[in-house]
Amino acid sequence: MRTLVLNAGYEPLAVVSFKRALVLVMNEKATVVENVDGEPIWSAHGSWERPAVILLTRYVRVPGGRHIPVTRRGVLRRDGNRCGYCGKTASTIDHILPRSRGGADSWENLVACCLRCNNVKGDRTPQEMHWELRLIPRPPRGAQWTVRGTEKADPCWSPYLELAA
């Protein structure tokens, strides 16, 4: 069981185990916003519902904004595992402006690509190949990118994750 932790301003912060969430609630550092239907947890001092979403009682400042690192897995996920050139299933990533020509490892210069298109394109740009990109590569946004563990989100989390998007 996992629990979504919200900052005092209802901004999603993290996903923690329900045990960690329960400790935060018992120590009065958080309050339960939503519970999981099921069996309660019994202790010597009573019973507790399993928290699905908790809200911190004090605001936690997140330093310097949240930077989303560029990864192969992230590029494939952003593009829906579809090739940016032909639309088939992608298994690799491609530098739009090749690295040999000064292309950076950035969200704007990387696109998901199938093996065939990647091999045919080689060390050229899409303009030289007379190809068009099916999408404009941009950095991903939203809580599902900045909060770890929300890829497999619980359905009851969706209202809180949508607020942050």
Side-chain angles (χ1 to χ4, degrees), residues 33-48:
V33 177
E34 286 199 34
N35 290 316
V36 176
D37 294 332
E39 294 184 27
I41 296 161
W42 294 93
S43 72
H45 304 288
S47 68
W48 299 84

Side-chain angles (χ1 to χ4, degrees), residues 86-153:
C86 69
K88 293 183 180 173
T89 303
S91 57
T92 64
I93 59 171
D94 179 59
H95 288 80
I96 298 165
L97 178 64
R99 282 192 291 189
S100 63
R101 298 187 186 188
D105 289 334
S106 67
W107 287 108
E108 295 83 1
N109 191 46
L110 291 171
V111 68
C113 191
C114 68
L115 197 57
R116 183 181 174 279
C117 288
N118 206 346
N119 287 333
V120 169
K121 180 177 171 280
D123 199 24
R124 295 174 290 218
T125 66
Q127 291 80 17
E128 292 171 349
M129 297 292 297
H130 303 290
W131 288 0
E132 276 189 41
L133 281 170
R134 300 178 73 240
L135 58 109
I136 298 169
R138 293 190 172 109
R141 295 186 349 214
Q144 63 271 23
W145 290 93
T146 56
V147 180
R148 294 186 84 163
T150 56
E151 302 88 35
K152 300 171 188 151

Side-chain angles (χ1 to χ4, degrees), residues 6 16-17 23 26 38 44 51 58 64 83-84 113 115 139 142 159-160 162 164-165:
L6 302 175
V16 297
S17 69
V23 168
M26 291 172 131
R58 296 184 68 184
C83 179
C113 191
L115 197 57
Y160 307 101
E162 289 169 5

